[in-house]
């Protein structure tokens, strides 16, 4: 019943990938699970946290890390950060940001889904890059000086970032195609029977009713103002650092 | 850091639902996570297993139960079973099947995603019902005498069953609409930004290339023959029981 040493295999005929996925209190399970299940067919996924204790999601259940910040291998094929209602706390957590900056320095791709892009941004990993995020969380992304992308999946050199929650499936397949090619991505897509048939046209503000949009904005309101403040403070620190370099 | 007593809330303005979700060794994380994240916005999800020990998924990571077979409440709004590479073992596990038969006797909706339908079938919960499953797993479903549905989400009275893996998102929204109405489902869909944009047309055999289909069939081949055998034995037991009743 241990998952510390799962067999490192790929089911798509390519060399197994090594994927590092950050957990943090209040991440959204589906942000992680779309990419994890897609990546899991193509190699080994490390779920990473400070300790090996269970990490609670934002909706009452928990997952278990398989590696800590100090035991996860370097030179990951993909470093990944999910979003969630715990994003603002993660933006403030120096230990998380230091880990991401370190792991990001040797990772082949630096990636996120949903509000996770703002966390990798706080670690300095979006300087000069375009990035996607949840449709309700552009204000903090813009406040930190990142260039917002309104795509479902944004590919800018080795940064690949997805929109909100379910975008993680489109994102995961895009990452696999980038690394392992279209054939591996198509095998993964068919295994996951990813042939979506949304029951309503409510999945994005451009198609959703104003009253539904207002309800979801209310759900996220508590995250926006602190997210913007933290992002602005980050931008000021970066600007001051640039000034110091310029006058040194 | 405990998730044993999460706040029981609904974020969609309806009375909070009580949802029971079976875990078992070798379930697929994304089968569970689509519905869990959608349901989690509408109430409390209980993750159920024999013990409170971590339960491994089929791709190297694990989740933690929040309730056991003996502590989960009766009268669930929804009883749910995910699929996964561990399905065949679950089909053989009398303790699981006894639990499902018991919980199913008081649940308002009896549901599954992917190969999970064959597990609820083995618990006697699909007698006389249509059901969906993963596109590669119809043979065991048919062998047990259930009426196969080739829909993405099949609604037959209070049985709601989804197709493979990612169908769990369409399924989750369909269940929420059935119980809480379209408005709650649309709020959930927009919160999850469920506006899919699959990168390839490979998500179903009707659109996928023959070589890709063959690759995924090979991936599932080890499950089909034992699944069919177990399902046939179930059907024979049911037929014998009907004969005994008829001649009694």
């Amino acid at each position: 019943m241990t998952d510390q040493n799962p067999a490192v295999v790929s089911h798509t005929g390519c060399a197994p990938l090594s994927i590092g996925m950050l957990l943090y209190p209040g991440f959204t399970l589906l942000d992680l699970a779309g990419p994890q299940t897609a990546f899991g067919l193509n190699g080994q996924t490390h779920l990473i946290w400070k300790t090996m204790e269970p990490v609670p999601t934002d909706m009452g259940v928990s997952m278990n890390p398989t590696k800590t910040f100090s035991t996860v291998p370097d030179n990951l094929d993909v470093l990944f950060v999910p979003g969630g209602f715990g994003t603002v706390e993660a933006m403030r957590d120096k230990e998380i940001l230091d880990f991401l900056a370190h792991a990001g320095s040797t990772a082949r791709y630096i990636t996120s889904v949903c509000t996770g892009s703002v966390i990798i941004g706080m670690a300095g990993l979006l300087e000069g890059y375009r990035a996607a995020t949840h449709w309700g969380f552009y204000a903090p992304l813009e406040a930190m000086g990142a260039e917002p992308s309104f795509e479902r999946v944004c590919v800018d050199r080795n940064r690949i970032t997805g929109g909100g929650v379910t975008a993680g499936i489109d994102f995961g397949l895009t990452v696999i195609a980038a690394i392992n090619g279209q054939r591996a991505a198509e095998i993964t897509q068919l295994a996951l029977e990813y042939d979506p048939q949304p029951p309503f046209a409510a999945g994005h503000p451009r198609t959703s009713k104003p009253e539904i949009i207002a309800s979801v904005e209310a759900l996220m309101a508590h995250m926006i103002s602190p997210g913007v403040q933290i992002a602005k403070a980050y931008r000021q620190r970066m600007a001051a650092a640039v000034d110091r370099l310029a006058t040194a």
Side-chain angles (χ1 to χ4, degrees), chain A residues 56-133:
Chain A
T57 70
D58 56 11
M59 278 177 240
V61 301
S62 67
M63 287 201 76
N64 299 304
T66 63
K67 288 282 190 295
T68 66
F69 289 177
S70 55
T71 63
V72 69
D74 284 331
N75 303 305
L76 293 164
D77 289 303
V78 180
L79 174 66
F80 169 81
V81 178
F85 285 124
T87 292
V88 170
E89 287 68 33
M91 290 172 73
R92 285 193 188 107
D93 188 320
K94 188 170 182 311
E95 208 177 335
I96 289 177
L97 302 180
D98 285 349
F99 164 72
L100 291 175
H102 170 78
S105 70
T106 64
R108 193 166 156 204
Y109 286 89
I110 294 170
T111 73
S112 65
V113 161
C114 197
T115 57
S117 59
V118 181
I119 302 173
I120 62 173
M122 288 295 298
L125 297 170
L126 287 183
E127 293 291 325
Y129 288 87
R130 285 184 302 116
T133 190

Side-chain angles (χ1 to χ4, degrees), chain A residues 182-194:
Chain A
Q182 183 170 338
R183 179 178 179 276
E186 290 197 5
I187 291 172
T188 304
Q189 185 176 347
L190 184 60
L192 304 186
E193 202 174 316
Y194 186 46

Side-chain angles (χ1 to χ4, degrees), chain A residues 109-112 126 129-132 149-163 170-179:
Chain A
Y109 286 89
I110 294 170
T111 73
S112 65
L126 287 183
Y129 288 87
R130 285 184 302 116
S149 157
F150 300 94
E151 298 163 283
R152 182 115 173 126
V153 181
C154 173
V155 181
D156 185 1
R157 289 155 284 169
N158 77 333
R159 267 58 166 180
I160 307 183
T161 51
D170 303 306
F171 156 87
L173 297 172
T174 302
V175 171
I176 290 163
I179 300 179

